[in-house]
Amino acid sequence: MTTLRQPDKVAVLASDPGVSGEALISQGPTKVPLWSHRKHFMVQHKTADYTITRQESGTLFTNLGAGATITLNLPQNAIKGDCFYFVVLAVQQLRIDAGAAGAIYINGVKSADNAYIWADDEGESVLLVCDGNNDWAALFTQGTWTVV
């Protein structure tokens, strides 16, 4: 547990920095405390193919340092609300594969099951959220993501 102090305000973090958690913010001696549900992103830079686990929900994945195309496989046991962020940080294809039983809804298109989306320009990004039916909804898409 960590305590942060500012003039007339105290925040007590319920977890260590860099890990998602809650903070109790006092708002000063005369105000009612409140809980902040601010999430700290865990960031993973991948340079080779990787299968994401459910436990990594909320993580930001990049291809920083990749020298070739990489594929990130979404978890096959995801539940409704699991989400993952992806950002291209190397000028290489970053592929996101929904797996055999899943599709990705992105930019007005539904991919086939066992298909993938890809982008290859720095700064292109997408947030994928599991719909609970083995499919993924793309939110906040930035740049050009191609469905294959």
Side-chain angles (χ1 to χ4, degrees):
M1 186 157 319
T2 306
T3 302
L4 305 173
R5 296 187 183 277
Q6 293 179 349
D8 294 328
K9 293 183 180 180
V10 175
V12 179
L13 301 180
S15 62
D16 293 327
V19 178
S20 81
E22 297 180 325
L24 179 63
I25 302 174
S26 73
Q27 297 195 22
T30 61
K31 299 202 176 175
V32 176
L34 60 90
W35 282 99
S36 165
H37 299 284
R38 188 174 312 153
K39 184 165 186 77
H40 297 270
F41 289 103
M42 298 304 295
V43 177
Q44 293 189 34
H45 305 296
K46 299 298 181 184
T47 58
D49 294 351
Y50 180 74
T51 298
I52 299 167
T53 67
R54 269 207 69 237
Q55 292 72 25
E56 295 171 302
S57 181
T59 298
L60 170 73
F61 291 93
T62 82
N63 66 340
L64 184 65
T69 296
I70 66 166
T71 301
L72 301 179
N73 300 293
L74 293 167
Q76 298 302 291
N77 63 341
I79 61 170
K80 182 171 29 176
D82 282 351
C83 62
F84 304 94
Y85 303 85
F86 302 92
V87 179
V88 176
L89 293 181
V91 184
Q92 300 291 338
Q93 259 192 35
L94 173 59
R95 295 178 179 178
I96 305 166
D97 192 327
I104 298 173
Y105 290 84
I106 185 168
N107 297 330
V109 175
K110 178 186 178 191
S111 73
D113 287 351
N114 205 27
Y116 62 88
I117 61 172
W118 67 269
D120 64 357
D121 198 10
E122 293 156 312
E124 292 177 318
S125 61
V126 65
L127 164 64
L128 294 179
V129 180
C130 181
D131 70 354
N133 191 35
N134 295 324
D135 292 331
W136 298 85
L139 306 175
F140 311 114
T141 305
Q142 183 75 10
T144 303
W145 286 87
T146 302
V147 177
V148 177

